[in-house]
Amino acid sequence: MIRTSVFAVLSLLVAVFGIAPAWAATKAQVETQFARWLETDLWPEARSRGVTKPVFDRAFQGVQLNWKLPDLAPPGFPKPKKRTQSQAEFRSPGAYFSEKRLQGLAASGRSLMQKHQNVLRRIESKYGVPASIIVAVWGRESGFGRAKIPHSAVRVLVTKAFMSTRPDLFRAEILATLQILQRGDVAASAMKSSWAGAMGQPQFLPSSYLKFAVDFDGDGKRDIWNSIPDSLASIANYLAQSGWVRGRDWGFEAVIPQGTTCALEGPDRARPIHDLTAMGIIRISGRPFPEHERKQPGMVLVPAGVYGPEFVVTPNFYVIKEYNNSDLYALFIGNLADRMAYGVGAFITPWGNVGDMLRSDIARLQTVLERQGYDVGGADGLPGYKTRRSIGEWQARNGAQPTCFPTSQLLKSLR
């Protein structure tokens, strides 16, 4: 009777208030739900995509959920607390450009470019992407294939598809994984990934593998885990299909003169590079922009506003961002490639002190600007180019010298 009453109370709490005790499910019970989900939910969709039952069963033979992964939301467990945007992420971006690391990668990369020059020459001829860019991505993603990539991609992705905070994303990726296994390019046991499911030397998600991985060594398999030619050609194919413009550079460190606003930034404000030079924007080296670039579109880039290096970039810069959607990532790749190809060093202008605003502070600043009619690209606490140029435009309209970067003082002025 007492037991019945307890369960009655618990049922009432769940029904009326949505309250469930923390022990509403155990790991063993979730594993049982997972096994049922595989057969009744995932398998029918996999079958509709051409995956056979033997391939499906071999993929998940002995596979259990990986409870150590981040961002999990197991059914029956308390929902994970929503993360507050309180990280102090926007101190000087200079920390991203570790000189010691870049020098080490450049030295190794130059040696590997020499070692693999024949295959790189053929890849560059076919895809139009410079060898230095390909090798820079290879170095940044997996330390030229030397980094340990210890996780089972199948286990990581099926865990996240079943009980992560973004199940739809990872459901698509585990289905892509099964299609790869169906094609026979790799065995499930050899399909190694990072904890986030990025696979092999190029760190492709399975959906990217299906689109971009190529067999360049001629063995009939697209092996981005063990084959250097396949890995390098797959990186090149990714960039080529993402729009790489053959024969153009990625960009140039520049100087924007006083009186020319930093709010010119953004790919949607591209203009011929000779128009930018007419405004007084020059290469920081003092050399002119290459003649073949002058009539081509270029874009201003100020990732730290006036508090760091300034650039004129080409559409290829934004192609690199297709690989990893970060200005700093694309600049890292560009600088590393230039070190290997031309022997250059760090950017000439240092990264200055941009304060230590929290993401929540930047989100508040973005919200205020949005209310005033500015397109900041969303109040997400991330100061992308739309936020940076909106700041510059607001500053100019309010009689201040544009700096194009969020600061605590600016937030106070906007309130």
Side-chain angles (χ1 to χ4, degrees):
M1 184 71 175
I2 293 175
R3 185 180 177 189
T4 303
S5 299
V6 169
F7 279 102
V9 170
L10 291 175
S11 299
L12 183 64
L13 286 171
V14 172
V16 177
F17 300 106
I19 298 173
W23 43 265
T26 66
K27 287 186 178 182
Q29 289 170 330
V30 173
E31 293 281 0
T32 299
Q33 291 181 55
F34 167 63
R36 189 182 309 116
W37 173 83
L38 284 175
E39 290 301 323
T40 62
D41 192 337
L42 191 64
W43 160 239
E45 188 168 359
R47 179 178 54 198
S48 72
R49 298 191 181 202
V51 178
T52 62
K53 195 64 165 68
V55 167
F56 186 89
D57 289 343
R58 281 197 300 271
F60 298 116
Q61 186 175 11
V63 172
Q64 292 184 310
L65 296 169
N66 186 341
W67 292 84
K68 296 181 180 180
L69 297 175
D71 301 322
L72 298 183
F77 278 62
K79 290 185 178 181
K81 293 181 179 179
K82 189 175 181 180
R83 291 183 177 181
T84 58
Q85 294 182 339
S86 59
Q87 304 98 315
E89 293 185 6
F90 299 105
R91 296 187 179 94
S92 173
Y96 194 89
F97 299 90
S98 164
E99 186 61 19
K100 181 178 179 181
R101 185 184 184 199
L102 276 161
Q103 287 180 2
L105 287 172
S108 295
R110 281 191 293 269
S111 175
L112 290 166
M113 284 178 66
Q114 181 67 27
K115 180 178 180 179
H116 300 292
Q117 60 180 317
N118 291 334
V119 71
L120 282 166
R121 191 179 299 117
R122 289 192 295 117
I123 291 171
E124 186 170 345
S125 175
K126 180 170 183 177
Y127 296 104
V129 182
S132 57
I133 293 288
I134 298 167
V135 174
V137 172
W138 186 34
R140 180 67 178 82
E141 292 297 328
S142 66
F144 311 107
R146 298 166 183 164
K148 292 182 179 180
I149 305 173
H151 298 284
S152 160
V154 171
R155 188 182 183 200
V156 165
L157 291 166
V158 78
T159 297
K160 287 180 170 284
F162 177 67
M163 61 176 195
S164 80
T165 54
R166 295 184 294 168
D168 292 343
L169 167 67
F170 290 104
R171 183 185 183 91
E173 296 300 338
I174 191 59
L175 289 165
T177 302
L178 291 166
Q179 290 176 284
I180 294 168
L181 294 173
Q182 183 67 41
R183 295 184 184 192
D185 280 311
V186 61
S189 60
M191 190 180 278
K192 298 298 183 180
S193 77
S194 70
W195 62 264
M199 306 186 305
Q201 298 184 37
Q203 286 290 275
F204 282 179
L205 285 170
S207 58
S208 294
Y209 178 99
L210 290 176
K211 292 177 186 175
F212 305 118
V214 295
D215 168 25
F216 205 77
D217 60 13
D219 69 353
K221 295 184 178 182
R222 299 176 296 171
D223 184 359
I224 62 172
W225 294 268
N226 303 297
S227 170
I228 289 175
D230 288 5
S231 296
L232 296 177
S234 296
I235 292 169
N237 188 40
Y238 189 114
L239 295 172
Q241 289 201 43
S242 297
W244 188 271
V245 182
R246 187 185 289 260
R248 293 206 67 187
D249 210 314
W250 67 269
F252 310 88
E253 190 178 355
V255 177
I256 301 174
Q258 213 166 15
T260 299
T261 179
C262 50
L264 292 168
E265 187 174 15
D268 55 339
R269 296 185 178 179
R271 62 194 72 197
I273 288 178
H274 63 64
D275 286 359
L276 297 175
T277 61
M279 299 177 188
I281 298 174
I282 61 171
R283 290 178 70 180
I284 198 166
S285 64
R287 299 192 302 273
F289 289 98
E291 191 58 36
H292 72 278
E293 294 279 8
R294 287 178 51 78
K295 294 181 181 179
Q296 300 299 320
M299 291 77 84
V300 169
L301 177 78
V302 286
V306 300
Y307 305 111
E310 301 163 332
F311 303 89
V312 170
V313 297
T314 78
N316 286 339
F317 175 85
Y318 292 95
V319 172
I320 298 172
K321 285 187 67 175
E322 291 292 319
Y323 209 100
N324 183 321
N325 189 22
S326 160
D327 289 337
L328 299 185
Y329 175 89
L331 287 172
F332 187 102
I333 297 300
N335 181 246
L336 177 55
D338 287 352
R339 287 171 187 252
M340 292 186 293
Y342 311 120
V344 304
F347 298 128
I348 295 172
T349 299
W351 297 96
N353 179 11
V354 295
D356 56 358
M357 287 187 76
L358 306 180
R359 280 189 62 176
S360 52
D361 294 332
I362 295 172
R364 283 200 300 275
L365 184 150
Q366 291 168 322
T367 299
V368 174
L369 286 171
E370 280 185 329
R371 288 172 182 163
Q372 296 186 26
Y374 292 92
D375 177 9
V376 298
D380 57 4
L382 301 171
Y385 74 87
K386 288 186 176 181
T387 294
R388 297 193 296 260
R389 75 185 184 194
S390 293
I391 289 170
E393 290 169 347
W394 182 91
Q395 289 169 320
R397 289 175 184 173
N398 287 273
Q401 180 67 32
T403 64
C404 298
F405 206 78
T407 62
S408 300
Q409 187 58 46
L410 176 65
L411 180 57
K412 292 176 183 177
S413 299
L414 277 166
R415 284 173 178 168

